[in-house]
Amino acid sequence: MLFIHQLLLPLTEYRYLWRQLTQRDIKARYKQSIIGYAWIILNPLSQILVYTFVFSIVFRFPTDIPYPVFLFAGLLPWIFMQNSVMAATNSLVNSAALLKKVQFPREVIPYAAVGSKLIDLLFSWVIFAVLLMFFGVKLAATSWLILPLLVIQLLLTVGISLIGAAANLFYRDSQYLINLLLLLWLYMSPVVYPVSMVPPQFLWYYKLNPLVGILEGYRSALFNQPFETNIIGWSAGVSIIVFLGGFVLFKRSERYFADIV
Amino acid sequence: MKPVVTKFSQVTKIYPVQQERTLKDVIPQLLRLKPWAVPQASLKDVSFEINQGESVGIVGRNGAGKSTTLKLIAGVTYPTQGSLEVTGRIAPLIELTAGFHHELNGFENIFLNGAILGMSRREIEAKVTQIVDFSELHDYMYQPVKRYSTGMFMRLGFSIAVHTSADILLIDEVLAVGDDYFQQKSLDRLEKIRQDGQVTTVFVSHDQRSVERFCDRSLLLVDGQLVAAGPPAQIFKQYHRLPNKSF
């Protein structure tokens, strides 16, 4: 009971603080920029152009849907995950003065980092959906299923973010290590290439990566392809464990934050 | 007798102090699962109680454990040994501008800092006019706070903190809030809060005049130990008799 209460504190007693910190992140990011919020579209758009050139024109990956459309379904959730983990990892260190001054559940700080990136993701999804429909791509009726998949991805993202944020407070090496791992993870996941290109003898190990089920799930939902429910179930299980594990680790180290920052 | 709002029972606080570390030193220690930090006691076996409405000055040299005491009361750090109980909402008048974001304007920062200090949206909305009035920064509210002078910054930070309806105010060292006029205004405000008798104040300082003006009682810390408690005048006599020590 106590654990559930603790788990829900950021949603109950500290919801307003969470909201304020999320708003701060969003507002501050674009205050001194000219095109402001348009960056959340321009950034993925430019990546899509580059990847499309490299993997569709140079390497000619076999995708059953147009490559840019295939890419957008995986790239936006990936960008969300990468940005969240990187921002959350630095979030506690950047709030050092607060950690030494006021008491509140510290997970609100990395949650706010993830929250602001989540809002970016939702915005970019809407805008890209409109763009795709404009170019005549039909989104399947099953598209709403991306929402439960997003919940799974969110648990995974938050779990990793909590671990990254706490680890970086103890050892600043963590942020560099995490950036490196993220880069490796991108290429170990079906973001820029389809799963069909993975040699069958590696496929079983490949699918242990929880992002495989999530990203393939998004594509199945958006383009009305059959769901591989067993790997999605595996992803969900891993994500829940990562989230709970991250939360417990974070809460155990929390009492030392102000002493070591 | 008013209820006890802060109670330290044999509190010891030991900080891990990290030594010089190179990979060559760290790896063998990591392999033996040993931390390379050396423990350093900041408070040793300290016990005291503070009642509601009291105004207590904590006196001591640099490194005597004054700030550690405030951090323990604020709940941002925890005792290594012993226990402490604190009841009520706390407003730290320490690093007044720690929660500010430079790109946001005055209003946005009032809501952000109010939330950080534990206020609800409704509470902040009810107090925002008072906060702006007290800070006298009406003309600057729509400007990003990075355009503020240091003094203006402090004024806004102080105004937010004293409007949190906190039960315990923590005040660190020299409370410098802007120019002489605003400094006086802030001190008058604290004096008024103190006279109302509901809010507890813990004041850390080496300034004899302000401690004598504000505090009913003083605690003297020497090297992390509580050596005396009593009326400020008496405590300062003892403080001045401490042998000189160079750091």
Side-chain angles (χ1 to χ4, degrees):
Chain A
M1 253 349 265
L2 201 67
F3 180 72
I4 303 227
H5 173 73
Q6 199 182 33
L7 205 62
L8 293 178
L9 268 183
L11 291 170
T12 54
E13 234 174 282
Y14 292 89
R15 196 173 54 198
Y16 188 58
L17 175 59
W18 186 1
R19 215 179 103 181
Q20 277 294 322
L21 290 173
T22 305
Q23 275 181 4
R24 174 195 68 176
D25 282 0
I26 294 174
K27 282 184 192 158
R29 204 155 7 124
Y30 301 110
K31 276 258 160 136
Q32 211 169 28
S33 74
I34 300 168
I35 60 167
Y37 218 66
W39 278 115
I40 63 159
I41 302 305
L42 271 177
N43 178 22
L45 200 61
S46 54
Q47 289 194 48
I48 285 176
L49 288 177
V50 171
Y51 283 128
T52 302
F53 175 74
V54 175
F55 295 121
S56 174
I57 297 174
V58 180
F59 284 108
R60 290 177 213 146
F61 282 172
T63 48
D64 35 18
I65 33 181
Y67 183 77
V69 179
F70 163 87
L71 186 61
F72 121 89
L75 193 63
L76 294 184
W78 168 258
I79 290 175
F80 157 67
M81 181 124 176
Q82 187 184 33
N83 287 347
S84 297
V85 171
M86 290 195 321
T89 298
N90 289 312
S91 64
L92 285 183
V93 172
N94 291 341
S95 309
L98 276 189
L99 297 184
K100 290 191 209 172
K101 180 181 158 176
V102 202
Q103 198 262 324
F104 54 82
R106 301 310 191 202
E107 64 270 24
V108 177
I109 296 175
Y111 283 7
V114 176
S116 71
K117 306 298 178 192
L118 179 65
I119 289 171
D120 288 358
L121 173 69
L122 297 177
F123 261 101
S124 58
W125 261 349
V126 170
I127 291 169
F128 275 93
V130 172
L131 271 181
L132 289 179
M133 285 191 276
F134 182 77
F135 284 111
V137 179
K138 281 206 186 79
L139 294 179
T142 48
S143 290
W144 67 272
L145 284 167
I146 61 175
L147 292 177
L149 288 160
L150 178 61
V151 173
I152 300 175
Q153 195 194 351
L154 208 50
L155 288 173
L156 184 66
T157 308
V158 170
I160 297 169
S161 297
L162 288 173
I163 298 169
N168 200 38
L169 209 52
F170 286 86
Y171 307 107
R172 300 292 188 274
D173 316 57
S174 310
Q175 54 188 304
Y176 306 111
L177 183 66
I178 283 170
N179 286 353
L180 179 67
L181 292 177
L182 281 170
L183 185 66
L184 299 180
W185 202 5
L186 167 64
Y187 288 107
M188 291 307 291
S189 309
V191 178
V192 299
Y193 57 84
V195 178
S196 61
M197 287 186 75
V198 177
Q201 67 266 37
F202 300 128
L203 207 54
W204 195 86
Y205 301 101
Y206 183 80
K207 286 178 175 171
L208 290 179
N209 170 2
L211 259 188
V212 176
I214 295 168
L215 294 177
E216 285 300 289
Y218 283 133
R219 291 191 174 119
S220 304
L222 289 173
F223 311 125
N224 200 14
Q225 290 164 348
F227 281 94
E228 273 196 80
T229 40
N230 55 340
I231 62 161
I232 293 174
W234 164 258
S235 299
V238 172
S239 300
I240 291 169
I241 291 168
V242 169
F243 169 69
L244 290 177
F247 185 79
V248 170
L249 266 174
F250 188 90
K251 290 313 257 186
R252 286 216 177 146
S253 53
E254 188 181 36
R255 57 196 282 121
Y256 306 107
F257 286 176
D259 296 352
I260 50 132
V261 64
Chain B
M1 198 66 188
K2 290 202 164 157
V4 174
V5 289
T6 298
K7 182 178 179 181
F8 276 52
S9 316
Q10 296 178 302
V11 169
T12 295
K13 176 68 192 179
I14 297 170
Y15 281 111
V17 178
Q18 290 181 344
Q19 301 294 299
E20 292 234 11
R21 41 180 186 171
T22 64
L23 207 58
K24 217 174 83 192
D25 302 330
V26 168
I27 287 173
Q29 282 181 323
L30 269 184
L31 290 178
R32 279 177 285 155
L33 290 174
K34 252 180 154 175
W36 55 83
V38 172
Q40 190 178 319
S42 173
L43 280 184
K44 298 168 198 158
D45 200 19
V46 169
S47 303
F48 62 85
E49 285 181 6
I50 299 173
N51 296 314
Q52 190 198 349
E54 240 190 324
S55 176
V56 174
I58 299 177
V59 180
R61 293 238 172 88
N62 290 329
K66 305 188 297 287
S67 300
T68 304
T69 308
L70 283 196
K71 280 187 197 161
L72 284 162
I73 298 174
V76 298
T77 190
Y78 298 82
T80 317
Q81 283 157 33
S83 64
L84 69 114
E85 287 161 48
V86 178
T87 31
R89 183 192 278 180
I90 296 158
L93 301 187
I94 308 166
E95 291 189 64
L96 287 171
T97 55
F100 278 71
H101 196 290
H102 291 248
E103 297 287 348
L104 303 184
N105 70 33
F107 274 124
E108 290 167 329
N109 269 299
I110 290 177
F111 282 85
L112 174 61
N113 278 275
I116 288 170
L117 293 171
M119 294 167 88
S120 69
R121 180 190 187 153
R122 214 169 285 156
E123 264 181 285
I124 305 171
E125 278 167 353
K127 294 258 176 76
V128 67
T129 332
Q130 290 176 50
I131 294 173
V132 178
D133 286 347
F134 189 85
S135 73
E136 300 177 31
L137 292 169
H138 301 85
D139 300 340
Y140 299 91
M141 276 298 128
Y142 289 103
Q143 283 191 23
V145 297
K146 66 179 176 184
R147 306 245 181 276
Y148 286 21
S149 68
T150 315
M152 287 156 66
F153 226 144
M154 295 294 201
R155 276 156 63 171
L156 191 58
F158 181 87
S159 304
I160 300 167
V162 292
H163 285 91
T164 50
S165 14
D167 305 298
I168 303 175
L169 287 180
L170 304 178
I171 308 173
D172 195 7
E173 299 288 354
V174 201
L175 183 73
V177 193
D179 51 17
D180 286 345
Y181 158 73
F182 202 83
Q183 179 80 22
Q184 195 52 51
K185 184 175 175 180
S186 312
L187 292 177
D188 291 345
R189 172 80 192 204
L190 292 178
E191 181 81 12
K192 193 175 161 288
I193 291 175
R194 181 195 158 196
Q195 278 162 4
D196 290 344
Q198 294 305 307
V199 177
T200 310
T201 313
V202 183
F203 191 56
V204 156
S205 178
H206 356 239
D207 179 34
Q208 183 161 3
R209 264 200 324 189
S210 46
V211 173
E212 283 181 357
R213 177 176 167 194
F214 274 113
C215 302
D216 318 312
R217 193 157 65 97
S218 278
L219 306 174
L220 178 60
L221 286 175
V222 179
D223 292 333
Q225 281 172 313
L226 182 63
V227 297
Q234 192 187 321
I235 292 296
F236 266 98
K237 258 186 211 156
Q238 214 169 334
Y239 174 71
H240 292 307
R241 281 205 305 269
L242 290 175
N244 281 320
K245 203 163 93 178
S246 57
F247 282 94

